[in-house]
C-alpha cells in the first residue's frame, strides 16, 4: 500500500484578511493536486499521495514546486511540511522556518514526536498540558509510554484515547475538498433606540445562542467572532477577536461577545441594532475541545445538548435562559448569512 503523504502549506500573506489572494493561492495548490482542503485564512492541506507519481517528484520536490509557483505568481512565501497524516504535517509546519520545508517519513514519526513537549501535541491546550505535567508527563514520548487505561482514568474515555492515539502519531482524518465556508451572521434590531447596557447584553446573549445553535446544526465551529453595533445616527462600530480555540458552544461565544462589547466603551450610546458574526468557519471535526477542569462547563454542555434536542423537535426558542423571557428587540428580524450594516 502506498504511504499517504499530506502536505501542510502555510502562506505568509501581506494581509491576513486578503480573501482574494488566498483564493488564488488555493488555485495554485489545486494545480498540483485536486485534493486540497482550505484552512482559512492562510493555510491548506494537500493530499499529494497520487500527485508524486504524476509529477515524478518526491515530497520535498513537490513542496519546492508549490513554493516556487506561489512566489513567482503572487510574491508570497510558503512554509511547507509533509508527513503521513494531517496532524503530523500541521505540527511539523508549526516549527518549520518560514519559507522552508520539513519532511517526516513514516519511519521517523516516533523519533520526531517523542522529544517534543506535550503542549505541541494536537488537541492539547493549556489546561490539558498543565494536568499532564502534574502527572510527570512532560514530553509526547512520556504520554506515548503511558498505558491507555491510565490516560482514560485520568482524562476520561474520549480524551484519554485521543491522547494515546495522537502521542503515537495516529490521525485517521483525510483531506476533505470543500468550498470555503461563508461567515455566519445573526442580527438584532431594537424596537426603539436603547441606552441600557443590560438590554444590550441580553441581545448579545440571544445572538450568541442563535449563532452557536446554527453552527452546531451545520456541524461547524467558528475560529473568530466579529461584533457590530449600529447607532441612532446610522454610524457603525466594529470589533473582532480570534478565539483561543474554534467552538460552536454558546458559553464561550457569549463570553467573547461580552468582551468585544466592553471594548466599545459605550457611554449612554443610543444603540439601534447589534450584529454578531462567526468567521473562520471549519468543520466541527476540525475543532479540538480542550479538557476542562470546571464541572460547571460540563453542566453547561449537558444543558446545551438538551436544548438542541428540544429545538430540533419543537422549534427554536423552546428552551432559553430566563433573562431572555422578554425581549426588547424586534423578534421578527431573521438572521442573515452576510453582514447587514
Amino acid at each position: 500500500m502506498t504511504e499517504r503523504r499530506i502536505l501542510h502549506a502555510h502562506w505568509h500573506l501581506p494581509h491576513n484578511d486578503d480573501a482574494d489572494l488566498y483564493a488564488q493561492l488555493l488555485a495554485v495548490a489545486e494545480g498540483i493536486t485536486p485534493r486540497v482542503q482550505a484552512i482559512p485564512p492562510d493555510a491548506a492541506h494537500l493530499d499529494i499521495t497520487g500527485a508524486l507519481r504524476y509529477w515524478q517528484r518526491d515530497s520535498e520536490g513537490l513542496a519546492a514546486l508549490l513554493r516556487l509557483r506561489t512566489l513567482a505568481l503572487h510574491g508570497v512565501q510558503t512554509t511547507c511540511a509533509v508527513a503521513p497524516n494531517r496532524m503530523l504535517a500541521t505540527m511539523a509546519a508549526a516549527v518549520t522556518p518560514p519559507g522552508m520545508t520539513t519532511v517526516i517519513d513514516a519511519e521517523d514519526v516516533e523519533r520526531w514526536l517523542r522529544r517534543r513537549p506535550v503542549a505541541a501535541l494536537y488537541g492539547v491546550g493549556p489546561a490539558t498540558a498543565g494536568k499532564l505535567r502534574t502527572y510527570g508527563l512532560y514530553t509526547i514520548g512520556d504520554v506515548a509510554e503511558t498505558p491507555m487505561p491510565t490516560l482514560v482514568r485520568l482524562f476520561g474515555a474520549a480524551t484519554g484515547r485521543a491522547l494515546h492515539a495522537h502521542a503515537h502519531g495516529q490521525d485517521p482524518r483525510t483531506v476533505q475538498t470543500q468550498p470555503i465556508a461563508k461567515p455566519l451572521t445573526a442580527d438584532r434590531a431594537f424596537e426603539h433606540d436603547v441606552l441600557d447596557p443590560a438590554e444590550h447584553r441580553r441581545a448579545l446573549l440571544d445572538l450568541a445562542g442563535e449563532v452557536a445553535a446554527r453552527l452546531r446544526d451545520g456541524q461547524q465551529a467558528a475560529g473568530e467572532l466579529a461584533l457590530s453595533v449600529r447607532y441612532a445616527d446610522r454610524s457603525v462600530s466594529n470589533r473582532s477577536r480570534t478565539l483561543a480555540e474554534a467552538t460552536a458552544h454558546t458559553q464561550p461565544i457569549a463570553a467573547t461577545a461580552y468582551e468585544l462589547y466592553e471594548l466599545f466603551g459605550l457611554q449612554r450610546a443610543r444603540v439601534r441594532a447589534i450584529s454578531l458574526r462567526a468567521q473562520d468557519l471549519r468543520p466541527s471535526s476540525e475543532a479540538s475541545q480542550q479538557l476542562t477542569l470546571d464541572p460547571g462547563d460540563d453542566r453547561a454542555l449537558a444543558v446545551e445538548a438538551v436544548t438542541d434536542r428540544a429545538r430540533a423537535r419543537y422549534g427554536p426558542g423552546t428552551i432559553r435562559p430566563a433573562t431572555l423571557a422578554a425581549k426588547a428587540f424586534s423578534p421578527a428580524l431573521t438572521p442573515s448569512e452576510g453582514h447587514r450594516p
Side-chain angles (χ1 to χ4, degrees):
M1 179 180 295
T2 303
E3 178 188 343
R4 189 166 54 147
R5 305 301 284 164
I6 306 300
L7 188 155
H8 180 97
H10 173 222
W11 293 297
H12 301 274
L13 304 181
H15 305 287
N16 287 336
D17 58 351
D18 196 337
D20 291 338
L21 177 57
Y22 179 60
Q24 294 171 23
L25 293 170
L26 288 176
V28 173
E30 290 167 354
I32 292 177
T33 173
R35 300 193 58 80
V36 177
Q37 179 174 342
I39 310 174
D42 56 9
H45 287 309
L46 290 71
D47 188 335
I48 60 172
T49 307
L52 296 173
R53 175 177 292 184
Y54 176 84
W55 290 98
Q56 296 184 348
R57 295 171 181 249
D58 59 11
S59 299
E60 189 168 0
L62 208 53
L65 177 63
L66 176 64
R67 289 166 45 203
L68 177 62
R69 287 190 172 188
T70 54
L71 186 61
L73 295 174
H74 302 288
V76 175
Q77 192 177 57
T78 307
T79 298
C80 296
V82 183
N85 59 51
R86 289 172 49 187
M87 179 192 76
L88 292 169
T90 302
M91 291 176 61
V95 294
T96 300
M100 303 297 289
T101 298
T102 296
V103 177
I104 301 176
D105 295 319
E107 59 270 19
D108 299 326
V109 168
E110 183 177 355
R111 177 177 55 82
W112 186 85
L113 268 178
R114 290 184 64 84
R115 56 189 174 84
R116 303 202 54 74
V118 291
L121 188 61
Y122 174 78
V124 172
T128 311
K131 189 169 184 180
L132 285 166
R133 287 192 290 266
T134 63
Y135 291 107
L137 305 177
Y138 295 96
T139 67
I140 296 176
D142 294 334
V143 179
E145 293 174 357
T146 304
M148 185 191 298
T150 302
L151 293 174
V152 168
R153 186 172 66 253
L154 295 175
F155 297 96
T159 302
R161 293 192 183 100
L163 284 171
H164 185 267
H166 294 162
H168 285 86
Q170 300 169 10
D171 179 16
R173 297 174 303 159
T174 59
V175 171
Q176 301 294 320
T177 56
Q178 54 195 2
I180 301 175
K182 296 181 179 179
L184 184 155
T185 303
D187 305 321
R188 289 294 181 271
F190 292 100
E191 294 176 353
H192 53 81
D193 297 336
V194 175
L195 290 78
D196 186 1
E199 294 296 337
H200 301 162
R201 291 177 67 87
R202 290 177 62 213
L204 289 172
L205 178 59
D206 193 48
L207 288 168
E210 181 178 319
V211 166
R214 292 169 61 193
L215 286 170
R216 295 193 298 274
D217 288 346
Q219 297 184 334
Q220 294 178 309
E224 183 180 31
L225 287 181
L227 180 66
S228 298
V229 175
R230 187 174 66 194
Y231 307 103
D233 62 359
R234 297 185 178 275
S235 62
V236 179
S237 295
N238 301 284
R239 293 289 188 278
S240 63
R241 173 167 293 179
T242 299
L243 299 172
E245 58 188 51
T247 185
H249 298 300
T250 301
Q251 196 171 53
I253 289 177
T256 302
Y258 292 151
E259 292 171 1
L260 290 171
Y261 173 80
E262 295 298 330
L263 292 177
F264 291 126
L266 301 182
Q267 299 291 333
R268 303 290 294 173
R270 299 172 62 87
V271 174
R272 180 167 295 178
I274 300 178
S275 298
L276 184 65
R277 184 168 65 254
Q279 305 177 151
D280 187 14
L281 304 189
R282 63 199 69 178
S284 55
S285 59
E286 301 297 311
S288 57
Q289 181 179 339
Q290 304 297 350
L291 175 70
T292 173
L293 304 181
D294 184 356
D297 291 345
D298 292 334
R299 288 193 296 269
L301 294 179
V303 171
E304 190 174 80
V306 172
T307 302
D308 285 345
R309 291 195 294 269
R311 179 168 48 83
R313 184 168 183 177
Y314 302 108
T318 304
I319 300 177
R320 60 189 316 165
T323 188
L324 299 177
K327 299 194 294 185
F329 40 82
S330 171
L333 188 61
T334 56
S336 66
E337 290 298 327
H339 174 59
R340 290 204 305 262

